[in-house]
Each structure stands twice: as structure tokens, then as C-alpha cells.
Amino acid sequence: MFVSLLLLLFQAMAPQVGQPASRELPVQMGFRVTPDTVLIGQPFTLFIKVLAPKGVRFEFPGGPDTATQNGVRPIELRGEKIVTMLGDTAVALYHLVAWDVGTQPLRFPEVRVTFEGQERRPPLGAASVFVKSVLPADTSLRVPKPARPLIVLPVFNWLRWFALLAALIAVSLAWWAWRRYRNRPKPPIDPYARAQQEFVRIEARRLLETAEPEEHFAAMVDVVREYLAARVPGVRRSDTTGELLRTMQPRDGVESELPRLLDRVDLVKFARAEAAQQEAREAGAKLRAIVDHVEARLNPESEPAKRLAAKRGEQAA
């Protein structure tokens, strides 16, 4: 609805008798509400235009009346008003919103116009907007939605989750302990005990009965080398036969057979010399005796030392 033809022509009041006539102040004002029909909360605008001679001062209202009706403010200003001049025309723009239904007056104060001591106040009382209701014409036809059920928060069973967490921790600890136990460092085996185990393992292969005396001979010598490297100071697994003999310095008795046996096994291993079955059997027995003799000499508290001492006692008796 455009109220552009709202023309207010204010003329100066007729002078009284004996007083000089005053200059007239012609003022034209119009306004427009866009849109003129809205819903509650729907924004709309009020556009005001005032035309007056040059030199006139304009003062537009700050906004609608802020008084409330039944606890509700019917018309409310959104943002700030926008005022500008277009030649001798002043324009103002207001962004508004309505909060009640029906025809709602905008309740704007008057515009103030002053010129050479004269003042005019064009009214805005006719400015209004129609606010439609969203309810049906017959409110008895409105069927409200059923009430929603109360929010029921489920009771969380923390005990079950705590039990599951405890079981998971227990399984993890058991797995960690098993890994530690499986990967634990093996306790060192006594060189003499390891040598005896290896002698038994070689004899269990029954190489002499399967016509492999050379392999039996070489395997028995390897066990002796491993034992001497672990028990005799200075002897290493990588020593040659000469280096081993110089470091060990075999003593009298059965140890004196060690150089001959080592030289013989070198021929078997590296020169492909043949060894008879009886020779391999006797060499194996002497090698075991050499290990017992060295153990008894280096470790007086060992079983071979005790057996040797008991044997000497019987011979002396």
C-alpha cells in the first residue's frame, strides 16, 4: 500500500490584527509500508519521504513507541534507521517486525520540520501494517499434537564393563608374562654337562653301525673342542689345532693323546682320509676320557675329580 498521496500542506496561521504576516512553510510528506500484510515475526519496511524548500531541517523519529501491550511489544525496530538526502528531499528507511496479529499501528512519533523559526510536525499516525494469523478460521478444528513422552535415560550398567575391562587387563598381563617366560634367557649349562649330553646324542645316532665312522670321529672331536674353549682359559673355538695345543699344553696321561687325535681328525675332515670303525670307536672313548681328565684337573670339586680320587685310593690300597 503506497500512501504517496498523503499530502500535508501546512500553512502559517493567519496573523492577528496589528501583527505582520509570516512566511508560509509548505511541507509534503508520504510514506509506504512494504509489504502491507505480514506474518508474526516477518520483517517489513517503512519508507518515509519529506519534500520541503531548501534550508529546511528534518528530524526523523528514532523508531516506534517502545511501550508494551499485555507484556508484548507490538512493533519492534531491527537494526538502525537509514536517513539520506536526495536534493531537497529527505528519505528515511526503517526495518521493522510485528509481534501481534491484526491491524497494528506502527506508533511512530511525528516528523519534526523546522525553518526560520517555524516548526511543523507531519504526523505518522496513519502508518499501520496488517499481521495475519496462522490459526484456522475455526480454532476448534485445530488438533494439537499428542504430548511427547518423558525422556527416560537408560541406566548404564557400569559393573559389566568394569568386569570386561578387568578381564581384558588380566588376559593382557597373562600374555605379557607368558611372553617374558618364553623369551627368558636360558640358564648357562655347565661345559662338562653339555659335553656329556652331546656325547650321548652322537652315540644315539649310531654312526658306527651305519658305516659312517669318519662322521662319528669328527663329531666327537668337535664336542671336545667346544668343551676346551668353554673350560680352558685362552682356548677359542676358532683356534687351529696348533693354536689349541700351544694354549692348552696337554698334560701327561690321557691328555697326551689329544695332539695325535686332533691331527688324525684334520686328515679325516680336510684330506678325506678314511677311518676304520674300530679306530673311530677307540678315538671316541679316548676323547671322552680326555674331557673327564681335564675336568678333574681344572675343577677338583667335580664328579670326575671325585671318581679319579676314589680310583687312586683303591689302587693305593
Side-chain angles (χ1 to χ4, degrees), residues 35-42 98-104 129-135:
D36 57 357
T37 302
V38 296
L39 300 175
I40 290 181
Q42 179 182 350
W99 298 110
D100 202 356
V101 296
T103 301
Q104 299 295 327
V129 67
F130 182 76
V131 182
K132 294 189 301 182
S133 174
V134 296
L135 295 177

Side-chain angles (χ1 to χ4, degrees), residues 1-6 29-37 44-50 91-96 106 108 123-124 126-129:
M1 176 181 182
F2 184 76
V3 193
S4 60
L5 299 180
L6 181 59
M29 185 186 76
F31 60 85
R32 181 177 61 194
V33 178
T34 307
D36 57 357
T37 302
F44 63 96
T45 60
L46 170 64
F47 179 77
I48 304 175
K49 181 171 68 173
V50 180
V91 295
L93 182 65
Y94 299 84
H95 295 278
L96 305 171
L106 300 188
F108 265 73
L124 291 170
S128 64
V129 67

Side-chain angles (χ1 to χ4, degrees), residues 10-27:
F10 295 88
Q11 298 180 352
M13 297 177 60
Q16 298 181 357
V17 179
Q19 293 182 349
S22 60
R23 185 179 178 183
E24 296 180 352
L25 177 58
V27 177

Side-chain angles (χ1 to χ4, degrees), residues 17-287:
V17 179
Q19 293 182 349
S22 60
R23 185 179 178 183
E24 296 180 352
L25 177 58
V27 177
Q28 299 179 18
M29 185 186 76
F31 60 85
R32 181 177 61 194
V33 178
T34 307
D36 57 357
T37 302
V38 296
L39 300 175
I40 290 181
Q42 179 182 350
F44 63 96
T45 60
L46 170 64
F47 179 77
I48 304 175
K49 181 171 68 173
V50 180
L51 176 62
K54 186 177 182 179
V56 175
R57 296 183 59 186
F58 304 93
E59 184 178 345
F60 290 95
D65 188 1
T66 58
T68 60
Q69 296 179 358
N70 299 324
V72 177
R73 186 177 301 170
I75 303 298
E76 191 173 48
L77 176 67
R78 290 295 178 89
E80 298 290 338
K81 66 180 179 181
I82 302 174
V83 179
T84 185
M85 289 294 298
L86 299 175
D88 57 354
T89 303
V91 295
L93 182 65
Y94 299 84
H95 295 278
L96 305 171
V97 67
W99 298 110
D100 202 356
V101 296
T103 301
Q104 299 295 327
L106 300 188
R107 303 197 301 173
F108 265 73
E110 300 169 342
V111 179
R112 183 179 179 185
V113 182
T114 58
F115 179 71
E116 294 183 354
Q118 299 184 54
E119 180 178 317
R120 293 293 180 267
R121 293 179 177 268
L124 291 170
S128 64
V129 67
F130 182 76
V131 182
K132 294 189 301 182
S133 174
V134 296
L135 295 177
D138 187 358
T139 56
S140 62
L141 300 177
R142 179 176 177 269
V143 179
K145 294 182 179 180
R148 293 182 179 180
L150 296 177
I151 299 177
V152 179
L153 298 178
V155 179
F156 192 76
N157 188 5
W158 289 100
L159 185 59
R160 179 176 61 184
W161 291 101
F162 280 139
L164 181 60
L165 179 61
L168 182 61
I169 294 175
V171 171
S172 301
L173 290 177
W175 177 80
W176 175 80
W178 176 78
R179 286 288 302 272
R180 292 268 299 181
Y181 176 78
R182 189 185 66 173
N183 298 330
R184 71 188 186 281
K186 296 181 179 180
I189 302 177
D190 181 74
Y192 178 77
R194 183 170 60 244
Q196 296 303 315
Q197 294 174 1
E198 291 298 319
F199 286 144
V200 172
R201 184 182 63 82
I202 294 171
E203 291 177 351
R205 294 171 61 186
R206 309 177 70 86
L207 297 174
L208 295 176
E209 298 177 5
T210 57
E212 296 179 277
E214 294 84 2
E215 186 174 350
H216 178 84
F217 193 0
M220 297 293 281
V221 171
D222 289 340
V223 173
V224 174
R225 278 182 168 274
E226 290 287 337
Y227 167 77
L228 295 177
R231 181 63 80 193
V232 179
V235 177
R236 296 176 299 178
R237 292 182 176 87
S238 60
D239 285 347
T240 61
T241 299
E243 292 172 343
L244 187 150
L245 294 174
R246 284 194 300 270
T247 303
M248 181 183 173
Q249 297 180 358
R251 306 295 180 88
D252 297 335
V254 70
E255 292 186 31
S256 60
E257 294 288 333
L258 184 60
R260 182 184 66 83
L261 295 174
L262 293 180
D263 290 337
R264 177 62 177 157
V265 82
D266 286 344
L267 295 176
V268 172
K269 292 172 63 176
F270 304 113
R272 296 183 180 274
E274 295 182 357
Q277 181 179 12
Q278 184 62 28
E279 179 187 8
R281 180 180 289 107
E282 293 176 356
K286 290 181 179 179
L287 289 169

